[in-house]
Amino acid sequence: MASPAEDLPLAAAFARGLEVFTRMQSGDADADALASGAAAMRHAVARVDVEGVFSRDETKDDVPTENLRFLLAPWYLAELASRAPTRDPAARERSLVEVSAMYEAFLERCERHDMLSESAKRTRARGTEACDPATARDEKVARFKRERAIRQRLESLDSTRVERTRKALAEADWDDENPEASVATQNEAEERERWLLLVEDAAAKALDAAASVELERAMLARRAESHSTDAPDASEADDARRRPRRIESSGMGNYIIGPGGTITQISAGGFVPPGGDLALEKNAPFLPTTFAFADRRAAAARGVFRPSHILPTMTVEQAGEIEYAELVERTRREEETKARRAAEDAALTAEERETRELAKARSWDEFKDDNPFGHGNSKLRPCS
C-alpha cells in the first residue's frame, strides 16, 4: 500500500506526481489517480518552499542541475488540478483558483531566475492587453516553431540517454549494483539541457493556459451571478407550479347571461378552471365547465386557419437597408485591402518585385506540370 503523500520526502513526492502526470498525458489516469498525483505534487510544492530549494538571488546558471526539476512542481500541480473531473461548479471554481495561483507562482519563479524566453517576457509584460492581429499571429507562429524544436530536441536527448543506458547495462560488470549511476554522472550537461528545455516549454504553455483559466473563471462567475438573480423563491415556484395555465384566446372570453338577457364578461384571457385565479378573487362566480368550449373552438380555429408559410419579420425596405450597410462595409474592406497591397507594392524595390514575379511564375509552372491540360477529364465523357 502506498504511503500518504504527506509522509513522502520532496524527491519521492515529486516522482509520484510526475508519474501520474506522464500517465495523464497518455490517457491512462483516472480521477483517483489524478487526485493522488495532485496531492503528491501539492506536497512537493510545499516542501520546495519549506526546504528553501531556490534562493531569490540565484540565476539560471546558479541553480544546481538536480534542483531544476523542482521548478516545474507548480506547473505540474496546475496541470493535474485543471484536468481533475468535477460536476460541481463551485468545486470547479475553487480548483481554478488554485490552478491560477500555481501558474502565477511558476511564472514568477521562472522570471526571478531568468528562465523566461524573450517572447514569454513580452507576453507576460503585456498582461491582458490585446495586441494587433499581425503581432499575435507572428508570436503564435514563433511559439509553434519553438515548441516543435524543443520537442524534437527532447526526443533526441531521450533516445540518446536510452541508448547510452542500454550500452552501459550491456557492458556493466556482474557485481556492479547500479550501472546507470555512472551514465547519469557522465551526462549532467545533457540532463541540465533537458530540464531547461522542459521549463521553457512549460512557461510558454502556462502563459496560454493562464488566460484560458481566467476566462473560465469569469464564465463561472457570470453563471453563478445569473443563477442567483434568476432563481425564484421556493414559495413562488410552488405557486407557479400549482397555478393553472390560461388558454389564450383572441377576442373571446367567458360570459355570464344574467336576468333580462344581460351579458357580463368575466374573463377575456381564456377559460380558468374552478379553483384557479378567478376562484381566488373575492365574490368570483362559479364557472361551469361548458364555458370552456368557446375558447376551445377559438384555439382550434387558430390552428386550422393559420398561415402555411413563415410570416416576414421585417419589411423589404429594412432588408434593403441591411444589405446596403453590408455592401458599404464590404466595399470599405476591399478598398482598405487594395490600399494596403498598393502600399506594400510601392515599398518593394525593383529587384524584390522581380523576385516575387519570378516566384509566382515558377509556382504556376510547377502547378501546370503537376496538372497537365485535360488530365482531370473522364475517359467516358471527354471534353470536346
Side-chain angles (χ1 to χ4, degrees):
M1 181 178 179
S3 57
E6 293 77 9
D7 300 336
L8 295 176
L10 172 58
F14 182 84
R16 179 182 293 183
L18 182 58
E19 186 264 337
V20 175
F21 176 80
T22 306
R23 288 169 52 194
M24 180 191 72
Q25 286 185 313
S26 61
D28 191 28
D30 54 7
D32 295 336
L34 289 176
S36 174
M41 198 58 72
R42 193 175 292 112
H43 178 65
V45 170
R47 294 307 305 172
V48 167
D49 295 334
V50 170
E51 297 179 13
V53 177
F54 303 104
S55 173
R56 287 185 170 273
D57 301 330
E58 286 181 336
T59 60
K60 177 172 60 176
D61 299 330
D62 298 331
V63 179
T65 303
E66 61 270 13
N67 291 344
L68 282 175
R69 53 181 174 166
F70 299 132
L71 273 170
L72 290 162
W75 183 73
Y76 285 140
L77 174 57
E79 291 292 310
L80 290 169
S82 62
R83 305 291 178 85
T86 176
R87 294 181 178 273
D88 184 14
R92 178 62 178 173
E93 188 171 3
R94 290 192 298 270
S95 176
L96 289 178
V97 170
E98 180 187 24
V99 170
S100 180
M102 287 299 102
Y103 280 138
E104 183 63 25
F106 170 67
L107 292 173
E108 283 183 0
R109 186 162 289 170
C110 290
E111 187 175 16
R112 186 189 312 147
H113 299 301
D114 195 21
M115 293 189 181
L116 290 179
S117 62
E118 294 300 325
S119 175
K121 289 179 181 178
R122 288 194 301 269
T123 304
R124 183 163 171 77
R126 188 167 59 241
T128 57
E129 296 180 3
C131 59
D132 58 290
T135 304
R137 183 177 61 253
D138 294 341
E139 290 181 354
K140 188 173 182 179
V141 171
R143 261 198 321 271
F144 175 75
K145 291 182 178 179
R146 181 56 183 164
E147 181 182 353
R148 183 172 57 184
I150 290 175
R151 186 168 61 250
Q152 293 175 353
R153 180 56 182 163
L154 288 174
E155 291 175 357
S156 174
L157 290 174
D158 290 341
S159 62
T160 303
R161 183 176 60 177
V162 169
E163 181 63 25
R164 192 178 289 114
T165 303
R166 186 192 62 79
K167 186 176 180 181
L169 290 174
E171 297 176 355
D173 297 333
W174 65 272
D175 57 347
D176 192 354
E177 297 181 355
N178 190 10
E180 299 181 6
S182 59
V183 177
T185 305
Q186 294 172 1
N187 301 280
E188 182 180 353
E190 292 184 1
E191 189 70 14
R192 186 177 186 84
E193 181 186 4
R194 179 176 181 274
W195 285 111
L196 288 176
L197 288 174
L198 286 173
V199 169
E200 182 182 353
D201 186 47
K205 291 178 179 177
L207 287 171
D208 293 338
S212 301
V213 168
E214 293 302 322
L215 181 62
E216 186 176 357
R217 288 181 62 186
M219 292 173 61
L220 288 174
R222 287 197 298 269
R223 178 184 182 279
E225 184 178 351
S226 64
H227 276 224
S228 62
T229 55
D230 296 344
D233 221 11
S235 59
E236 294 179 3
D238 241 8
D239 292 344
R241 282 195 300 268
R242 294 177 181 177
R243 187 180 301 121
R245 183 174 59 88
R246 285 181 177 270
I247 303 174
E248 297 297 333
S249 62
S250 56
M252 299 188 66
N254 298 320
Y255 300 88
I256 292 180
I257 302 177
T262 59
I263 301 176
T264 305
Q265 182 178 6
I266 61 174
S267 173
F271 172 70
V272 180
D277 292 347
L278 293 178
L280 298 177
E281 298 177 2
K282 188 176 181 180
N283 299 327
F286 175 75
L287 298 178
T289 311
T290 53
F291 286 150
F293 293 129
D295 285 334
R296 292 177 185 174
R297 290 189 61 184
R302 288 198 304 273
V304 171
F305 299 108
R306 63 185 177 185
S308 59
H309 60 278
I310 300 176
L311 296 178
T313 58
M314 64 180 69
T315 62
V316 177
E317 290 79 5
Q318 291 173 337
E321 291 176 358
I322 294 175
E323 291 184 0
Y324 179 73
E326 292 176 352
L327 174 63
V328 170
E329 179 64 21
R330 187 165 58 251
T331 305
R332 184 187 62 80
R333 289 199 302 267
E334 292 175 356
E335 292 177 353
E336 290 179 355
T337 304
K338 289 181 181 178
R340 186 174 67 253
R341 289 178 179 174
E344 292 176 355
D345 292 341
L348 294 176
T349 62
E351 183 179 354
E352 292 175 342
R353 192 176 292 106
E354 182 180 354
T355 303
R356 188 182 64 178
E357 294 297 331
L358 180 60
K360 184 177 179 181
R362 286 177 177 174
S363 176
W364 177 241
D365 291 339
E366 291 176 358
F367 176 81
K368 289 194 295 184
D369 292 339
D370 295 337
N371 302 273
F373 182 76
H375 181 70
N377 294 337
S378 173
K379 294 182 179 180
L380 299 178
R381 293 176 296 177
C383 295
S384 57

